[in-house]
Every structure is written in C-alpha cells, then in structure tokens.
C-alpha cells in the first residue's frame, strides 16, 4: 500500500514539476488545443501551460479522498477498498501526466520539421484499457462500503448480492479492458480508437448494471424458496 501511495503522489505532482522545468524554455505562444484530426487549431500564451497541472489537483484528489474518508462511515474498511481508491487516483493522475507531457512536447518542438507528435487520443484510450483491467482485478476483493466498488441500486441491497455483483463486474471490466487493448493491436488509433474505447466503457456500465439486477433477483428468489 505504501508503494501505491508514493506512486500516487509522484504522479500527482509530476505535471506541475514537468511544467515548471519546461516553462523557461517554452516560446511565448504554445499549442493549446488539438482537433479530432490531431491538428493544432489553437495557440495561447505560455502562461496557459499551468492550466493542465492545476486542473489535475481536484480530479486526482477525489478518489484519494475517498480512500481516506467514507461519508457513511466505512465500518468494514479493508486494504483492498483503499487500494482501489488509490489506484483510481493514480490512473486519473496518469491521464493528466500524459496530456500535460504531450502539450509541453508540442510547445517545445512544434516548429521542428518532420516531427511526429504523440497521439494523445490513442494514449488516453490505452489508459482506459489498462485501467479497466486493474479495476476488474480489484473489484472481487472490494468489501461492501459507502463509496467505492460496483455500486448500483441493486448491488447494495445486501452482502450476498454485493459479493456476487463485485465478482461478475470484475470479469466484465477485465473483458472490456481486454477489448480496448485489442482495438489498439488491431490498428485503431486517434479519434476512432477513442470513440471505440468510450463505447466499450459505456457497454461496460450497461452490462454491469443489468448483471447486478439479475444477481439481486436471483438472490431474492433463492431466499424466498429457502423460507418456503
């Protein structure tokens, strides 16, 4: 757990450190937006380079805060619950590291001839795939709590429904992560790959929700038959 916390704080402050180191070398006008075709379509003052690292703070701190505090009083707080929150924080921070790194790279070298810029959409999509695999592996270990895990109106009904829901949701999440990574292996890139990854993630949510409903009905029927 200590290593994960260290990784979180390194990733958390890395965009700020990268920007501080690159800032004196940046030109007065730097690229600040890329369209869906991967072409720079807006330039801004180099002061705007601080926007990405500063915006990373609230985004990454939310899952970290969830690991430290449960608004409903996590009576069954476990190491696996905390680990999942911290890993979600790491993945969020990593996305900002990627975005900040790409924009700083373009700011420093956008005038260079024949330079190929990193495909930020592809990198973010790959992060979604890896993230799904990690979350899917941790979900079955997640104990019932008030913040983290596969939480639907059905999965939180009772402990048995929760346990079965986390196990099934974990397999679904890992399968979706595998499909996202497979898309890259098959040659998907750029906006097409991003839309593909988003579509897989949306399907993940829908299938998981329906699965938790199925589990709840199954557990409810089992208990009814047992009582009879």
């Amino acid at each position: 757990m200590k290593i994960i916390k260290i990784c979180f704080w390194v990733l958390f402050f890395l965009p700020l450190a990268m920007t501080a180191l690159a800032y004196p070398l940046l030109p007065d006008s730097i690229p600040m937006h890329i369209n869906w075709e991967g072409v720079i379509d807006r330039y801004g003052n180099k002061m705007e380079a601080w926007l990405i690292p500063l915006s990373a703070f609230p985004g990454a701190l939310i899952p970290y805060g969830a690991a430290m505090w449960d608004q409903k009083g996590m009576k069954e707080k476990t190491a696996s619950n905390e680990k999942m929150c911290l890993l979600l924080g790491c993945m969020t921070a990593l996305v900002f590291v990627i975005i900040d790194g790409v924009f700083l790279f373009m700011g420093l070298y956008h005038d260079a001839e024949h330079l190929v810029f990193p495909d930020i959409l592809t990198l973010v999509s790959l992060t979604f795939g890896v993230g799904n695999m990690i979350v899917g592996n941790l979900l079955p270990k997640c104990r019932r709590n008030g913040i983290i895990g596969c939480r639907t109106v059905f999965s939180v009904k009772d402990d048995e429904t929760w346990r079965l829901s986390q196990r099934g949701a974990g397999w679904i999440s890992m399968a979706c992560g595998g499909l996202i990574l497979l898309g890259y292996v098959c040659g998907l890139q750029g906006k097409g790959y991003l839309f593909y990854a988003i579509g897989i993630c949306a399907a993940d949510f829908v299938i998981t929700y329906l699965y938790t409903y199925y589990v709840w009905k199954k557990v409810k029927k089992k208990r009814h038959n047992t009582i009879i």
Side-chain angles (χ1 to χ4, degrees), residues 1-2 4-9 12 56-70 77 81-93 147-148:
M1 188 71 70
K2 184 177 180 180
I4 298 177
K5 287 183 179 180
I6 292 174
C7 290
F8 170 80
W9 288 115
F12 183 78
F57 289 168
L61 277 178
I62 291 175
Y64 181 81
M68 302 296 106
W69 175 76
D70 183 347
K77 182 177 180 181
N81 290 3
E82 184 177 0
K83 184 184 292 185
M84 180 178 292
C85 291
L86 290 171
L87 285 172
L88 288 174
C90 287
M91 287 185 289
T92 303
I147 290 181
I148 200 69

Coordinates of all heavy atoms in Angstrom, one line a residue, residues 1-2 4-9 12 56-70 77 81-93 147-148:
M1 N 0.8 -1.2 0.0 CA 0.0 0.0 0.0 C 0.9 1.3 0.0 O 0.5 2.3 -0.6 CB -0.9 0.0 1.2 CG -1.9 1.1 1.2 SD -3.2 0.8 0.0 CE -4.1 -0.6 0.7
K2 N 2.0 1.2 0.7 CA 2.9 2.4 0.8 C 3.4 2.7 -0.6 O 3.5 3.9 -0.9 CB 4.0 2.1 1.8 CG 4.9 3.3 2.0 CD 6.0 2.9 3.0 CE 6.9 4.1 3.3 NZ 8.0 3.8 4.3
I4 N 2.0 2.2 -3.5 CA 0.9 2.8 -4.3 C 0.7 4.3 -3.9 O 0.5 5.1 -4.7 CB -0.4 2.0 -4.1 CG1 -0.2 0.6 -4.6 CG2 -1.6 2.7 -4.8 CD1 -1.5 -0.3 -4.4
K5 N 0.8 4.6 -2.6 CA 0.6 5.9 -2.1 C 1.8 6.8 -2.7 O 1.6 8.0 -3.1 CB 0.6 6.0 -0.6 CG -0.7 5.5 0.0 CD -0.6 5.6 1.6 CE -1.9 5.1 2.2 NZ -1.9 5.3 3.7
I6 N 3.0 6.3 -2.7 CA 4.1 7.0 -3.2 C 3.9 7.3 -4.7 O 4.2 8.4 -5.2 CB 5.4 6.2 -3.0 CG1 5.8 6.2 -1.5 CG2 6.6 6.9 -3.7 CD1 6.9 5.3 -1.1
C7 N 3.5 6.2 -5.4 CA 3.2 6.4 -6.9 C 2.2 7.5 -7.1 O 2.3 8.3 -8.0 CB 2.7 5.1 -7.5 SG 4.0 3.8 -7.6
F8 N 1.1 7.5 -6.2 CA 0.1 8.5 -6.4 C 0.6 9.9 -6.3 O 0.4 10.7 -7.1 CB -1.0 8.3 -5.4 CG -2.0 9.4 -5.3 CD1 -3.1 9.5 -6.3 CD2 -1.9 10.4 -4.4 CE1 -4.0 10.5 -6.3 CE2 -2.8 11.5 -4.4 CZ -3.8 11.5 -5.3
W9 N 1.4 10.1 -5.2 CA 1.9 11.5 -5.0 C 2.9 11.9 -6.1 O 3.0 13.1 -6.5 CB 2.5 11.6 -3.6 CG 1.4 11.6 -2.5 CD1 1.2 10.7 -1.6 CD2 0.4 12.6 -2.4 NE1 0.1 11.0 -0.8 CE2 -0.4 12.2 -1.3 CE3 0.1 13.8 -3.0 CZ2 -1.5 13.0 -0.8 CZ3 -1.0 14.5 -2.6 CH2 -1.8 14.1 -1.5
F12 N 0.8 12.7 -9.0 CA 0.0 13.9 -8.7 C 0.8 15.2 -9.0 O 0.3 16.1 -9.5 CB -0.4 13.8 -7.2 CG -1.3 14.9 -6.8 CD1 -2.7 14.9 -7.1 CD2 -0.8 16.0 -6.0 CE1 -3.5 15.9 -6.7 CE2 -1.6 17.0 -5.6 CZ -3.0 17.0 -5.9
A56 N -5.3 19.1 -12.6 CA -5.2 17.8 -12.2 C -5.4 17.6 -10.7 O -5.8 16.5 -10.3 CB -3.7 17.3 -12.5
F57 N -5.3 18.7 -9.9 CA -5.4 18.5 -8.5 C -6.8 18.0 -8.0 O -6.9 17.0 -7.3 CB -5.1 19.9 -7.8 CG -3.6 20.3 -7.9 CD1 -3.2 21.5 -7.5 CD2 -2.7 19.3 -8.3 CE1 -1.8 21.9 -7.6 CE2 -1.3 19.6 -8.3 CZ -0.9 20.9 -8.0
P58 N -7.9 18.7 -8.4 CA -9.2 18.2 -8.0 C -9.5 16.8 -8.5 O -10.1 16.0 -7.9 CB -10.2 19.3 -8.4 CG -9.5 20.0 -9.5 CD -8.0 19.9 -9.2
G59 N -9.2 16.6 -9.8 CA -9.5 15.3 -10.4 C -8.9 14.1 -9.8 O -9.5 13.1 -9.6
A60 N -7.6 14.3 -9.4 CA -6.9 13.1 -8.8 C -7.2 13.0 -7.3 O -7.1 12.0 -6.7 CB -5.4 13.3 -9.0
L61 N -7.5 14.2 -6.6 CA -7.7 14.1 -5.2 C -9.0 13.5 -4.8 O -9.2 13.0 -3.7 CB -7.6 15.6 -4.6 CG -6.2 16.1 -4.3 CD1 -6.3 17.5 -3.8 CD2 -5.5 15.2 -3.3
I62 N -10.0 13.5 -5.7 CA -11.3 13.0 -5.3 C -11.2 11.5 -5.0 O -11.7 11.1 -3.9 CB -12.3 13.2 -6.5 CG1 -12.7 14.7 -6.6 CG2 -13.6 12.4 -6.2 CD1 -13.6 15.0 -7.7
P63 N -10.6 10.6 -5.8 CA -10.5 9.2 -5.4 C -9.6 9.0 -4.2 O -9.8 8.1 -3.4 CB -10.0 8.5 -6.7 CG -9.4 9.6 -7.5 CD -10.2 10.8 -7.2
Y64 N -8.6 9.9 -4.1 CA -7.7 9.7 -3.0 C -8.4 10.1 -1.7 O -8.2 9.4 -0.7 CB -6.5 10.7 -3.1 CG -5.5 10.6 -2.0 CD1 -4.5 9.5 -1.9 CD2 -5.5 11.5 -0.9 CE1 -3.6 9.4 -0.9 CE2 -4.6 11.4 0.1 CZ -3.7 10.3 0.1 OH -2.8 10.2 1.2
G65 N -9.2 11.1 -1.8 CA -10.0 11.5 -0.6 C -11.0 10.4 -0.2 O -11.3 10.1 1.0
A66 N -11.5 9.7 -1.2 CA -12.4 8.6 -0.9 C -11.7 7.5 -0.2 O -12.3 6.7 0.6 CB -13.0 8.0 -2.2
A67 N -10.4 7.3 -0.4 CA -9.7 6.3 0.3 C -9.4 6.6 1.7 O -9.3 5.8 2.6 CB -8.3 6.1 -0.4
M68 N -9.4 7.9 2.0 CA -9.2 8.4 3.4 C -10.4 8.6 4.2 O -10.4 8.6 5.4 CB -8.4 9.7 3.3 CG -7.1 9.6 2.6 SD -5.9 8.5 3.3 CE -5.9 7.1 2.2
W69 N -11.6 8.7 3.5 CA -12.8 9.1 4.3 C -14.0 8.5 3.6 O -14.1 8.6 2.4 CB -12.9 10.6 4.4 CG -14.1 11.1 5.0 CD1 -14.4 11.1 6.4 CD2 -15.2 11.7 4.4 NE1 -15.6 11.7 6.6 CE2 -16.2 12.1 5.4 CE3 -15.5 12.0 3.0 CZ2 -17.4 12.7 5.1 CZ3 -16.7 12.6 2.8 CH2 -17.6 13.0 3.8
D70 N -14.9 8.0 4.4 CA -16.2 7.5 3.9 C -17.3 8.3 4.6 O -17.5 8.2 5.8 CB -16.3 6.0 4.2 CG -17.6 5.4 3.6 OD1 -18.5 6.1 3.2 OD2 -17.7 4.2 3.6
K77 N -14.0 -1.2 6.5 CA -12.9 -0.7 5.6 C -11.8 -1.7 5.5 O -11.4 -2.3 6.5 CB -12.4 0.6 6.2 CG -11.3 1.2 5.3 CD -10.8 2.5 5.9 CE -9.7 3.1 5.1 NZ -9.2 4.4 5.6
N81 N -10.2 -2.1 -0.4 CA -11.0 -0.9 -0.7 C -10.2 0.3 -0.9 O -10.3 1.1 -1.8 CB -12.1 -0.7 0.4 CG -13.2 -1.7 0.4 OD1 -13.1 -2.7 -0.4 ND2 -14.1 -1.5 1.3
E82 N -9.3 0.5 0.0 CA -8.4 1.6 0.0 C -7.4 1.6 -1.2 O -7.2 2.6 -1.9 CB -7.5 1.7 1.3 CG -6.6 2.9 1.4 CD -5.9 3.0 2.7 OE1 -6.1 2.1 3.5 OE2 -5.1 4.0 2.9
K83 N -7.0 0.4 -1.5 CA -6.1 0.2 -2.7 C -6.8 0.6 -4.0 O -6.2 1.2 -4.8 CB -5.6 -1.3 -2.7 CG -4.6 -1.5 -3.9 CD -4.2 -3.0 -4.0 CE -3.4 -3.4 -2.8 NZ -3.0 -4.8 -2.9
M84 N -8.1 0.2 -4.1 CA -8.8 0.5 -5.3 C -8.9 2.1 -5.5 O -8.8 2.6 -6.5 CB -10.2 -0.1 -5.3 CG -11.0 0.2 -6.5 SD -12.6 -0.6 -6.5 CE -12.1 -2.3 -6.7
C85 N -9.3 2.7 -4.4 CA -9.4 4.2 -4.4 C -8.1 4.8 -4.9 O -8.0 5.7 -5.7 CB -9.8 4.7 -3.1 SG -11.5 4.4 -2.6
L86 N -7.0 4.3 -4.3 CA -5.7 4.9 -4.6 C -5.3 4.6 -6.0 O -4.7 5.5 -6.7 CB -4.6 4.3 -3.7 CG -4.7 4.8 -2.2 CD1 -3.7 4.0 -1.3 CD2 -4.4 6.3 -2.1
L87 N -5.6 3.4 -6.5 CA -5.3 3.1 -7.9 C -6.1 4.0 -8.9 O -5.6 4.4 -9.9 CB -5.5 1.6 -8.2 CG -4.4 0.7 -7.6 CD1 -4.8 -0.8 -7.8 CD2 -3.1 0.9 -8.3
L88 N -7.3 4.2 -8.5 CA -8.2 5.1 -9.4 C -7.5 6.5 -9.4 O -7.5 7.2 -10.4 CB -9.6 5.2 -8.8 CG -10.4 3.9 -9.1 CD1 -11.8 4.0 -8.4 CD2 -10.7 3.7 -10.6
G89 N -7.1 7.0 -8.2 CA -6.4 8.2 -8.2 C -5.1 8.2 -9.0 O -4.8 9.2 -9.7
C90 N -4.4 7.1 -9.0 CA -3.2 7.0 -9.8 C -3.5 7.1 -11.3 O -2.8 7.8 -12.1 CB -2.4 5.7 -9.5 SG -1.6 5.7 -7.9
M91 N -4.6 6.4 -11.7 CA -4.9 6.4 -13.1 C -5.4 7.8 -13.6 O -5.1 8.2 -14.7 CB -6.0 5.3 -13.4 CG -5.5 3.9 -13.3 SD -6.7 2.7 -13.8 CE -7.8 2.8 -12.3
T92 N -6.1 8.5 -12.7 CA -6.6 9.8 -13.1 C -5.4 10.7 -13.2 O -5.3 11.5 -14.2 CB -7.5 10.4 -12.0 OG1 -8.6 9.5 -11.8 CG2 -8.0 11.7 -12.3
A93 N -4.5 10.7 -12.3 CA -3.3 11.5 -12.3 C -2.4 11.2 -13.6 O -1.8 12.0 -14.2 CB -2.4 11.3 -11.1
I147 N -18.8 4.0 -0.7 CA -18.2 4.9 -1.7 C -17.7 4.1 -2.9 O -18.1 4.4 -4.1 CB -17.0 5.7 -1.2 CG1 -17.5 6.8 -0.2 CG2 -16.2 6.4 -2.3 CD1 -16.4 7.7 0.3
I148 N -16.9 3.1 -2.7 CA -16.1 2.5 -3.8 C -16.7 1.1 -4.2 O -17.4 0.5 -3.4 CB -14.6 2.4 -3.5 CG1 -13.8 2.2 -4.7 CG2 -14.4 1.2 -2.5 CD1 -13.7 3.4 -5.6

